[in-house]
Amino acid sequence: MALRNIVKEGDEILSKRAKPVSDINKRIEELLDDMIETMRANDGVGLAAPQVGVLKRIFVVEVDEKIYELINPEILETDGIQTGDEGCLSVPGYIGTVERPAFLKMKGLDRNGKEIEIEGSGLLAVALSHEYDHLEGVLFVSKALELQEIEATEE
Ligand code: ZN
C-alpha cells in the first residue's frame, strides 16, 4: 500500500465525469487499498478516485469505523433532505453548508466484482452523496449554501 497525492481544487480532473471501471483487476485492488490508506492518513470520511488523479468511478467511505468501497456506483433511492457542514480533502481550508439526502441507497460493485447495495442516513448518506458527486465532477463548494474559510491544515 502507498499514500497517494490528493489533487486539489483547480485541477481539471476534479470537474470531469469519471469513467466506469470495465475490468476489476489487481491495479484496481491496489488503488482501493491506497485510497483507504490515503483517506485515513488525512482524517477523511471519504475519498473518490479522481481525488488521487484517477478518472474512474470508484470511491471509499469510512463511517463509524466501517469501510465502504464502491465501484461503478448508481443511486437507487434517496429520501428527504438534511443540511449540514462538510469539507473535502481536495478543498482544504473551507467548510460549506450543503443540502444532502437524509437517506440514500446505492448499488455498485465490490472489489471482487460482486454487486452490492449500501444504504444509510446521517453522515453515511452525506459521505456517499459527496463522493458520488466527485465522480460526476462536482465539488461541494459549487453546492454550498454558505462557504466558510477555516484555518488551513496544510501538511
Ligand atoms: Zn470531497
Side-chain angles (χ1 to χ4, degrees):
M1 297 213 285
L3 288 178
R4 304 223 182 182
N5 285 326
I6 295 179
V7 171
K8 300 296 189 317
E9 186 188 18
D11 191 310
E12 63 175 18
I13 195 169
L14 293 176
S15 56
K16 287 182 175 165
R17 191 167 191 273
K19 296 182 173 57
V21 176
S22 54
D23 181 25
I24 300 172
N25 52 31
K26 195 123 191 84
R27 286 187 63 185
I28 299 291
E29 278 182 53
E30 279 173 19
L31 174 64
L32 281 165
D33 290 339
D34 289 354
M35 284 170 65
I36 290 165
E37 193 179 347
T38 304
M39 168 178 71
R40 288 183 153 171
N42 290 280
D43 295 321
V45 173
L47 193 65
Q51 291 182 276
V52 292
V54 179
L55 199 60
K56 291 188 190 304
R57 302 186 76 76
I58 301 173
F59 66 67
V60 297
V61 163
E62 185 170 26
V63 172
D64 292 334
E65 293 176 9
K66 192 171 181 337
I67 287 181
Y68 303 86
E69 306 174 341
L70 212 51
I71 299 167
N72 296 343
E74 289 174 45
I75 295 173
L76 295 177
E77 202 183 318
T78 62
D79 191 33
I81 292 171
Q82 58 176 322
T83 307
D85 290 342
E86 62 187 73
C88 177
L89 295 177
S90 292
V91 192
Y94 288 89
I95 282 182
T97 309
V98 184
E99 285 186 349
R100 297 286 180 189
F103 169 86
L104 191 146
K105 185 174 179 178
M106 281 183 180
K107 72 166 184 176
L109 302 174
D110 69 10
R111 62 168 65 206
N112 301 309
K114 191 173 143 242
E115 194 169 295
I116 52 167
E117 287 186 5
I118 298 173
E119 60 176 64
S121 54
L123 180 59
L124 181 56
V126 171
L128 292 171
S129 173
H130 179 116
E131 299 314 324
Y132 184 86
D133 277 354
H134 274 299
L135 307 184
E136 297 296 302
V138 174
L139 290 178
F140 83 99
V141 288
S142 68
K143 288 187 156 185
L145 307 172
E146 263 178 70
L147 204 58
Q148 193 189 334
E149 199 169 351
I150 55 168
E151 204 179 314
T153 50
E154 283 287 316
E155 285 176 44

